[in-house]
Amino acid sequence: MASKNSQLLTYIEDTRKIIASDLEEEELQNILYSLDRVTADLNLNKLSIHSVAYDVEVVQSFYSLLGDQKILDDNYQLQFYDLSKLLRQKQQSPHSACLILQKLESEDVKQTLYELPDQQIITVGRKPGSDVCLPNYYTYVSGQHLEIKCYGSENNSSNYLWKVHSSAQCRNGTYINGEQLLGERVLRSGDRIVLGSDSPSSKSPELVFQSIDNSSDKYELKKSVDCDILFFVTDTQLEALNGIGELLSLLTNASVIEFFLVILPSKSSENISVSRYPDRSIELKELKNCLLTLNEKQLGLIKIQRCLAKTILVIDQASEFIQCQQKILQQGIENIEKRQSSKSQKKSGLDINLLIKIINDQKVDFLRSVDAIVQQSKQDLLDDSLAESISYKLQLLIDELEICIVKQKGKQYLELRPRATELDVNDFLVTVCKQELLDWANEEWTKICKQYVNSGLEGLVRTANITLQAVLTANDSEPSLKFRDQVEIEESFQDPLRRINCKIEYQEDPIWTYFIKKIRGFVFQIMGALFLLSFLGLSRSAVIKAINKQVSSSPFLLILVITMLVWLLHKLWKSYQTNKLLEKHKATEKLRQELRTYYQKIIKNRFVDKVVQKLDVTLKNEMSKFDRYIKSALEIASQSSSEVEAAPVDPKVYLKDCQTKAVKLERKIRDLQKVKDKIQRLHANLQSPAGGRVNSIEVAPKNWIGS
């Protein structure tokens, strides 16, 4: 047995030498610590028994049934673990990270936590859609400012590494703990990252990186199944059914020699059930004899068997960590090769100034054409002969204003009011003009971005990209450019305007006054006719008497006269109504004409000019953004070239050095596999009939577990 122990110690030392050279990561310390634990367990002359249960009293009752407590303490290390606590720890994230946005004393902004998602590349910036999207008022932060790369293993969360580098679109740089970020850097928990400046401000935020590693909980979880014999003790069948599946999942990659399910109803020895999971049930008496009569040879065999299994697990963990390093190194090799390929594909003797001139000429032609188109659209907007012009629509609105008669202080007024709204005429007309001009401005802006002059601004960007292909290859990351969706013209309507009077004093003639005037006219006409008759030699009194006599003597003529009088009264009434409407129309038309004249002048000389100016300013701002876009694209090409040139000594030498490191890592993996094969052969010899199994008849007593 001593020779077996010596062989295993030799293999452990070989493993230590393989992983110790050229590796200086934190994970290395964890692997070496695990090897030290294996060595300590191998030299310990006791077996470890761990009891997992929902209730410590159930475990104590079970221990009391096993026999002499002193014998158990002399031969075994006994330890209890609360299963409910273990399951809570299992549900926690074993390893996560976050960025914490710090609050300045001068800012009314809450401290914000951004959890980093579980993906390989994480973007940080103000651009919508970034994984960590910062508020827009941090103007020193670029749309895509940082990229954080997460390297790790799906099976072992402790291998996570977080590396950060500035994005190609980053304009103002990044500072970590006061030092400017150049190239790529590994983040450590507590690192303070300032974006856009060397010190935090209202425009450059400070982020604190926190790597949340629940290592203590994770260690406690692993330690619960790191033993020679494991008991799951419960007092109900239901707890056994609920807990056995969860506990078995904790045993994955564990090195437990024996696992028992113990059901202890009512905390007594009656009907106690002991199962060597998953093979068979045994008697409590048989279990007691096995535990209390274990000799030194059996102890040694059990101990070395478990240490062999634990060493294999540590080697697998080391291999996985080295494979992760291999992956990172391989990505670095690929980046160097891409940059070298990019440099070789660049056209020799390329004149960058010539490219800039071509793009600027395209921009000038675009602006000149857009200006002419917008001016024509402005003229159409003010041409009242066009049905879609704002001048024509304004006339229709004024014509549709409702006429109301109001009385104030004993006087009667005619007033114009808009229909179906509580606004007065001036507010109503300004609101309508504002909305019409807003729609026109946004429509024009959409056409500027997408239609005018060969697909607008977007077409200009596409044309510029085609020109830039001379310096940007497929390996370069092109900057992104997004234009604003609409034009802000609210400030064009904020100046206080003079309000036009929409009310005029109006007094109607009473109906009886109008009738008297008309009847008097009729009387004068009749008197004139009678005077004409007297001039012809006829007596006026004789004519009147003759007419009166005829009418009074003939009912028909009487009815005819009465009918004529009624008809005349009706005509007078209709004439009165028409005259009243005509007078009202004259009064309101005066008000409408004043409104038309004033608002046509306001639209032409103030509103439309200001909106066009705002449209022009917006276009200039977006063209400035376009200029920065072109500059950024050229900087990317320049940076790609300079990165290759800045490689240590020579890109070829640096690439060869990376490839040499990759070969060393591959050799380490092979050496670890060789050691693992030797340990597995040793483990197989222990389990063979010649070597003797721990639970076989040749080694253990006849009543030993599993015999």
Side-chain angles (χ1 to χ4, degrees), residues 213-226:
D213 187 358
N214 299 320
S215 55
S216 60
D217 293 342
K218 181 175 61 177
Y219 175 70
E220 191 73 14
L221 190 63
K222 291 182 177 180
K223 193 169 67 172
S224 66
V225 294
D226 184 14

Side-chain angles (χ1 to χ4, degrees), residues 506-523:
Y506 172 73
Q507 186 67 42
E508 296 179 351
D509 289 336
I511 188 171
W512 57 270
T513 303
Y514 181 79
F515 276 17
I516 289 175
K517 291 180 180 178
K518 288 294 183 181
I519 291 172
R520 185 175 59 183
F522 290 152
V523 170

Side-chain angles (χ1 to χ4, degrees), residues 258 276 302 305 692-697 699-700 704-707:
E258 297 287 353
R276 179 185 179 275
I302 295 173
Q305 242 192 355
R693 290 179 57 188
V694 174
N695 55 356
S696 65
I697 298 176
V699 175
W704 178 244
I705 305 161
S707 60

Side-chain angles (χ1 to χ4, degrees), residues 243-257:
I244 191 69
E246 294 290 348
L247 193 57
L248 285 176
S249 66
L250 298 179
L251 292 174
T252 306
N253 296 327
S255 56
V256 178
I257 300 300

